[in-house]
Amino acid sequence: MIENNINKSKYHRKEPIRNFEVNQSMYDLFSNVNSKNLNSNAIRYMTHRKTYGQILNETDKLANALKSIGVNENEIVGSCILTVPETASILLSIDKINAISFWMDASLGEEDIIKYINEHHIKTLFLFEPLKPMMDKIIDKTNLEHVILISPMEYIYNPFRKKLTDKRYIYYSDFINTKSKTPIITKYDKERPSIIVQSSGSTGK
């Protein structure tokens, strides 16, 4: 028998750095952990900054907007974007309304995008705007009712926007300003997944 005489690291702690309740939603956990940290910078993107308080405010507005278009509990909401400042609010807002987010690789081909959208009955999708020409070609082959465009141009002074003629599309910054407020009760259900990650199966997700 080999004895384990490995010394514990000098960084080993007997007590956790922070105690928190694990049986809560992702949205509630983020809110509670950062309740005293709202003015601190959470995200840096190019020359832009977002505090924890700004993320929560944007998340609440986005959650209200999602409810206003009829996103229901346990409904799967798709996301096909790059890592942008909006990512945090998208993730948290979907969780706040007790829905499930499905994250797709933005480099997927048209056939795979159609497959994942239809297999998961996705009606609402967050989409990186440069992918819109591809989506224009396939949107009628999907169940999509709402496509919320995340534009990198939003971070450039006086951005030029393309006019949207298809009512299924809307820019993110317009969408979160939807004048609607629906009471939202965030529920914790340990059996409900918060996130589904698109996978070929080989990753074991």
Side-chain angles (χ1 to χ4, degrees), residues 2-199:
I2 301 175
E3 292 184 4
N4 184 358
N5 291 320
I6 299 175
N7 293 324
K8 291 182 178 178
S9 164
K10 64 179 180 179
Y11 301 108
H12 175 76
R13 299 177 61 95
K14 292 182 179 179
E15 299 296 330
I17 295 173
R18 178 184 296 164
N19 286 309
F20 56 85
E21 172 59 51
V22 295
N23 294 318
Q24 56 183 324
S25 70
M26 184 164 40
Y27 170 83
D28 286 336
L29 176 61
F30 184 88
S31 302
N32 295 335
V33 167
N34 293 297
S35 61
K36 298 179 180 179
N37 201 32
L38 298 179
N39 294 322
S40 298
N41 282 331
I43 294 175
R44 294 181 178 87
Y45 185 78
M46 294 194 284
T47 59
H48 297 267
R49 302 287 186 272
K50 277 188 180 179
T51 65
Y52 289 99
Q54 288 173 323
I55 291 175
L56 281 170
N57 181 58
E58 186 175 314
T59 294
D60 292 341
K61 291 169 67 176
L62 185 55
N64 284 324
L66 288 169
K67 290 296 289 185
S68 76
I69 61 171
V71 178
N72 298 313
E73 289 187 16
N74 297 313
E75 182 174 331
I76 298 177
V77 177
S79 181
C80 189
I81 62 176
L82 300 183
T83 302
V84 288
E86 293 85 356
T87 303
S89 292
I90 291 170
L91 179 65
L92 293 169
S93 64
I94 295 171
D95 188 67
K96 180 178 180 179
I97 62 174
N98 308 301
I100 302 165
S101 58
F102 181 83
W103 295 78
M104 289 178 276
D105 185 344
S107 66
L108 285 172
E110 295 174 10
E111 291 183 4
D112 286 327
I113 293 283
I114 295 170
K115 173 186 172 184
Y116 287 123
I117 289 172
N118 291 340
E119 278 186 355
H120 293 278
H121 309 288
I122 293 171
K123 296 184 291 185
T124 301
L125 175 72
F126 289 91
L127 182 73
F128 194 50
E129 189 195 25
L131 298 176
K132 184 178 179 293
M134 177 271 292
M135 182 55 65
D136 289 339
K137 292 190 291 183
I138 66 173
I139 191 169
D140 290 329
K141 298 178 182 179
T142 72
N143 308 307
L144 289 174
E145 297 176 5
H146 305 280
V147 179
I148 303 153
L149 298 172
I150 309 294
S151 173
M153 298 299 291
E154 296 287 344
Y155 294 92
I156 299 175
Y157 178 72
N158 194 25
F160 172 76
R161 279 187 174 190
K162 295 179 182 178
K163 185 176 180 180
L164 301 176
T165 55
D166 189 329
K167 292 184 178 179
R168 288 173 290 189
Y169 291 100
I170 186 171
Y171 281 105
Y172 178 90
S173 55
D174 294 330
F175 181 67
I176 64 170
N177 289 317
T178 302
K179 301 298 182 184
S180 173
K181 194 159 188 176
T182 306
I184 297 171
I185 300 174
T186 305
K187 303 172 185 175
Y188 171 71
D189 179 358
K190 67 179 181 179
E191 300 300 328
R192 176 180 64 83
S194 295
I195 307 167
I196 300 174
V197 181
Q198 169 261 315
S199 166

